[in-house]
Amino acid sequence: MGRMASYRRDLAVRASVDQGLLSPAEPVVALLDTAGIRASAAALNSAFAAVTDAHVLHAFAVKATPLVPVLRLLYEAGLGVEVASPGELALARAAGIPPGHTVLDSPAKTPAELRQALALGIAVNADNLQELARLDALVASAPTASPLGLRVNPQVGAGSIDALSTATATSKFGVALRDEGARKTVVQAFLERPWLTRLHTHTGSQGIPLALMAEGVGEAYTLAEEINRAAGRQQVDTLDIGGGLPVNFTTDEETPTYAEYARLLADTAPGLFDGRYRLVTEFGRSLLAKHGTVLARVEYTKTSGGRPIAVTHAGVQLATRTVYVPGSWPLRVLPYDAEGRPRTGEAVVQDVAGPACFAGDLIATGRALPLLHPGDIVAVPDTGAYCFAHHYAYNSLPRPGVHGFTVDDGGAVTFTTVRKPQTPDEIVAEAGGGLADALVR
């Protein structure tokens, strides 16, 4: 899949120039490989189908790429959505995702959010015992078709990125199972609530080893078995095992795979897949990251302290995590000439900078690449998740246009607009442009 993705990307870069998508007037664009997205969805579905006949809802984590056409594409490919805010729920509804394919998670749901979800029949995972008490009153006041669950923190430890490790001893998410008395309290909470039928856990994402992810899921499975024994029936009928499959940002190879993870889960907790439990997954980054590419023109080149620097239009506003924490979030930079052909030549150590007005706005530092020239194009692959759809409005830089692309058997590229580029008027409107006199009246 990696070679085909690279082939399609090269064709799309050239076509973006030929068709005027990338130009001096539009010096940065984002591309989505729709064939790659479909392939990832198919790989996820087939990976779990290979290890279980149980019903599985693969709910895409909307936070990874909150774009309505993306959600619709994934739904057509058999996936649902996991939402964590009123805004994400609105995006899912705009994409036509039905309530039965929607899961609401968040550590800070308001009463209004909960009432809306229960009225729609959307599955809800409570984050804590106080939220369960809030649900008690809402369930008693009006009937609901919503499946209801509780998130637990198995406290199995952290991966290599602390900020993305959600099963640590002090994580803000879920009920901490290893705290004194907590496990007994959770079991009792289920026994007191016959309508509480789901357990949810999520160990983390990028930087989490697969074995640690599987260990967290295994802890949730063991707890479900304990609750069902105590209840004398299968009260817990669904396990939401979260997502979090890490992404390889160093090459085009898609590794680890969903198939590897599903087999590991089957080995870790065989009973998870024996048909007694419905399953929900919440993968996000791993479905979209490798199918997005940011293209940016090189505006100027210079040398400072003997180091060549290429100043481009892609930086902190798109690759925010890379700019601020480059050690944890390195991204590749692929050089192309002004006509969109891969640039070749002797590798020269150089920096690739973004357009923002601070010194740290670099997407690559000391990177060995063919020397870049004004008018060249840099492609930043693996940016389909948590990048161009999470705009950081430094310097009021505009959100780029996002375009899906397909490649036919003859190599012809067709683009479809997913999101139009942001205009200066839209930036002004967001910044209170219609309220200019508000503070001087």
Side-chain angles (χ1 to χ4, degrees):
M1 187 180 295
R3 286 193 297 273
M4 286 302 299
S6 175
Y7 165 75
R8 292 194 300 267
R9 182 178 58 229
D10 283 348
L11 291 176
V13 174
R14 181 68 181 269
S16 71
V17 176
D18 291 344
Q19 298 183 33
L21 213 62
L22 185 70
S23 68
E26 293 290 344
V28 58
V29 298
L31 305 181
L32 282 169
D33 180 353
T34 56
I37 296 172
R38 287 193 177 98
S40 281
L44 175 57
N45 283 320
S46 63
F48 278 76
V51 295
T52 183
D53 293 326
H55 179 274
V56 185
L57 171 65
H58 296 296
F60 173 68
V62 172
K63 57 184 169 287
T65 310
L67 295 170
V68 171
V70 168
L71 306 185
R72 185 58 174 267
L73 173 62
L74 290 172
Y75 177 62
E76 295 295 329
L79 275 61
V81 292
E82 182 264 341
V83 300
S85 72
E88 289 186 354
L89 177 55
L91 295 176
R93 297 186 73 188
I97 315 299
H101 288 71
T102 304
V103 179
L104 173 63
D105 294 320
S106 163
K109 305 180 198 72
T110 66
E113 289 175 61
L114 291 171
R115 279 193 295 270
Q116 181 188 27
L118 296 184
L120 292 171
I122 289 170
V124 176
N125 289 318
D127 179 78
N128 54 70
L129 299 175
Q130 291 177 8
E131 188 177 342
L132 272 187
R134 186 172 282 178
L135 284 171
D136 284 336
L138 293 173
V139 169
S141 66
T144 179
S146 292
L148 301 173
L150 177 67
R151 179 168 182 169
V152 294
N153 171 11
Q155 294 175 294
V156 293
S160 61
I161 304 175
D162 287 344
L164 298 189
S165 299
T166 56
T168 61
T170 58
S171 171
K172 76 175 189 178
F173 293 103
V175 179
L177 282 182
R178 297 184 184 180
D179 283 11
E180 186 176 356
R183 192 180 192 93
K184 181 179 179 181
T185 299
V186 167
V187 173
Q188 188 61 34
F190 273 80
L191 297 180
E192 292 171 356
R193 297 169 175 85
W195 44 263
L196 197 58
T197 61
R198 293 186 167 199
L199 271 176
H200 175 219
T201 193
H202 178 64
T203 301
S205 52
Q206 195 67 19
I208 303 293
L210 293 193
L212 191 64
M213 291 170 57
E215 182 182 351
V217 172
E219 290 290 328
Y221 166 75
T222 300
L223 177 60
E225 296 281 274
E226 182 178 341
I227 292 169
N228 289 340
R229 284 194 302 270
R233 63 186 181 90
Q234 187 164 356
Q235 177 172 341
V236 177
D237 60 20
T238 303
L239 286 169
D240 184 332
I241 62 174
L245 194 75
V247 169
N248 164 34
F249 287 102
T250 60
T251 70
D252 283 326
E253 183 182 4
E254 295 188 42
T255 181
T257 67
Y258 294 120
E260 290 168 348
Y261 183 46
R263 288 193 297 268
L264 178 59
L265 287 173
D267 291 339
T268 303
L272 184 69
F273 292 143
D274 66 10
R276 289 177 298 129
Y277 293 97
R278 289 174 172 257
L279 300 173
V280 177
T281 72
E282 298 176 357
F283 296 101
R285 178 182 290 106
S286 56
L287 280 161
L288 261 293
K290 298 202 76 65
H291 309 306
T293 303
V294 169
L295 305 182
R297 283 173 53 88
V298 176
E299 195 67 45
Y300 301 109
T301 57
K302 63 178 73 173
T303 301
S304 183
R307 174 78 60 83
I309 303 170
V311 180
T312 80
H313 290 272
V316 72
Q317 86 277 30
L318 301 169
T320 312
R321 285 172 168 170
T322 297
V323 167
Y324 284 120
V325 195
S328 295
W329 298 100
L331 285 171
R332 292 179 289 156
V333 174
L334 308 178
Y336 295 80
D337 65 20
E339 295 182 355
R341 297 171 300 198
R343 180 167 282 290
T344 58
E346 182 182 355
V348 177
V349 173
Q350 57 197 296
D351 294 348
V352 182
C357 292
F358 78 101
D361 187 24
L362 300 162
I363 57 173
T365 302
R367 193 73 57 87
L369 301 166
L371 189 64
L372 292 164
H373 303 277
D376 279 357
I377 299 163
V378 295
V380 187
D382 307 331
T383 45
Y386 297 100
C387 287
F388 51 74
H390 294 76
H391 191 71
Y392 178 43
Y394 202 104
N395 286 146
S396 295
L397 292 164
R399 288 189 293 269
V402 181
H403 307 272
F405 71 88
T406 57
V407 180
D408 68 17
D409 291 342
V413 178
T414 300
F415 292 107
T416 303
T417 298
V418 172
R419 184 186 68 196
K420 295 180 180 179
Q422 190 179 30
T423 67
D425 286 346
E426 289 169 337
I427 293 173
V428 170
E430 284 189 1
L435 304 168
D437 294 331
L439 302 180
V440 296
R441 290 174 181 168

